[in-house]
Amino acid sequence: MILSGTSRLAGVLGWPVAHSRSPRLHGFWLERHRIDGAYLPLPVRPERFADAVRSLRDLGFRGANVTIPHKEAAFAVCDEVDATANRAGAVNTLVFRPDGAIAGSNTDGWGFLAGLRQAVPGLDLAATPATLLGAGGSARAIAAALLDAGCPRLVFVNRTRRRAEALCAALGGPVAAAGWDEAADLLPATRLLVNTTSLGMQGTPSPDLPLARLPDEAIVADIVYVPRITGLLAAAAARGLRTLGGLPMLLHQARPGFRAWFGVDPEVDDELARFVAGDVPETAEAA
């Protein structure tokens, strides 16, 4: 695509950001719909985040996605946030309005549930107690979506227990906090285990848990998508458990932002999934 002087611009803010396949994903949709626009990787240090967001707005960008570690900082920089972001306490999608206001939403939880329901048709979330590893912006967004869908009990496991306790206080409902040393004892009562941390990304060690203690019907999910099969997912598959990688969440969470920035509601289909997955190593060893 050759850009014009009126091209619509968006991107993804992260530190680092080289791992992100969002530019590939949005680039596919831009090409499919023949849109005069571009979606760029935008590496931004945490201490420069707020200034960078305002600069993008002033440069005429339509908005941006936000990834690790900026999602909670994005919430703070917004002039307005919708119910999803307010519930999650974090923002992953920014829209720059014509009047200069910065609007934020969070599509992580919605994207995770869409991928989960696609992978496990007929799943009764009201009968699916969950354990979430991590207590950051992604954990809060996914937890809010699960609770709204009827999850009967949800436990945050985090190395800093106080952070997990703060999430519980903010969300309310059937939630609890635990330290990492308590994780193994939670597994027998867990039907959905979700890694919401960056552990396992690009060859870093995955969470090491005794998955043999999970029930046979449990589902193990990992929001990391580089590689497609993390150490946690490989261990779960070896145990005979159902698994869900991070790519479906990535694909589904991207739709609302693309619609807001580029004016088209794109489709998540097999062709898109194959295209994005084609640039992601299957395992850390293949990277």
Side-chain angles (χ1 to χ4, degrees):
M1 295 288 291
I2 297 175
L3 301 179
S4 75
T6 59
S7 297
R8 298 184 175 204
L9 301 177
V12 55
L13 295 146
W15 187 260
V17 79
H19 70 278
S20 177
R21 266 48 177 193
S22 288
R24 184 174 176 89
L25 161 58
H26 287 273
F28 178 92
W29 280 333
L30 288 168
E31 179 69 22
R32 169 182 278 181
H33 295 287
R34 307 302 297 171
I35 293 170
D36 179 13
Y39 183 100
L40 308 174
L42 302 166
V44 177
R45 294 180 181 275
E47 64 271 18
R48 301 297 301 166
F49 178 77
D51 289 339
V53 169
R54 297 186 183 101
S55 294
L56 291 175
R57 176 199 59 190
D58 295 343
L59 286 168
F61 275 62
R62 298 299 181 99
N65 282 129
V66 180
T67 189
I68 295 172
H70 299 317
K71 293 182 181 182
E72 289 165 281
F75 184 92
V77 82
C78 287
D79 299 302
E80 57 186 76
V81 296
D82 69 6
T84 63
N86 198 51
R87 181 95 160 103
V91 160
N92 78 326
T93 304
L94 298 169
V95 175
F96 303 146
R97 303 212 184 281
D99 64 0
I102 301 172
S105 62
N106 194 306
T107 63
D108 278 340
W110 179 83
F112 176 80
L113 284 189
L116 179 62
R117 286 173 168 144
Q118 186 178 52
V120 190
L123 177 66
D124 182 8
L125 285 170
T128 308
T131 297
L132 268 58
L133 307 179
S138 294
R140 182 163 168 169
I142 291 171
L146 288 172
L147 292 170
D148 289 346
C151 179
R153 178 170 172 79
L154 190 149
V155 182
F156 293 102
V157 175
N158 200 56
R159 296 190 186 280
T160 306
R161 184 183 179 125
R162 183 176 300 176
R163 184 173 173 85
E165 290 171 344
L167 269 191
C168 291
L171 285 171
V175 294
W180 202 261
D181 57 340
E182 303 169 84
D185 293 333
L186 297 170
L187 298 183
T190 296
R191 298 299 181 273
L192 174 63
L193 176 68
V194 188
N195 175 37
T196 74
T197 75
S198 61
L199 292 173
M201 181 185 293
Q202 294 186 307
T204 61
S206 283
D208 184 17
L209 295 171
L211 300 185
R213 301 190 66 180
L214 283 168
D216 291 342
E217 67 272 23
I219 304 160
V220 177
D222 198 329
I223 71 169
V224 170
Y225 61 85
V226 183
R228 298 198 306 275
I229 302 175
T230 62
L232 178 65
L233 294 179
R239 162 76 170 76
L241 302 172
R242 291 174 292 181
T243 62
L244 174 65
L247 270 179
M249 174 177 162
L250 171 73
L251 302 183
H252 286 283
Q253 63 81 31
R255 286 181 60 196
F258 191 92
R259 182 172 59 245
W261 307 320
F262 301 114
V264 172
D265 189 5
E267 183 179 0
V268 173
D269 56 18
D270 290 343
E271 185 182 7
L272 171 71
R274 286 193 299 270
F275 178 77
V276 177
D279 189 49
V280 182
E282 183 176 30
T283 64
E285 291 73 19

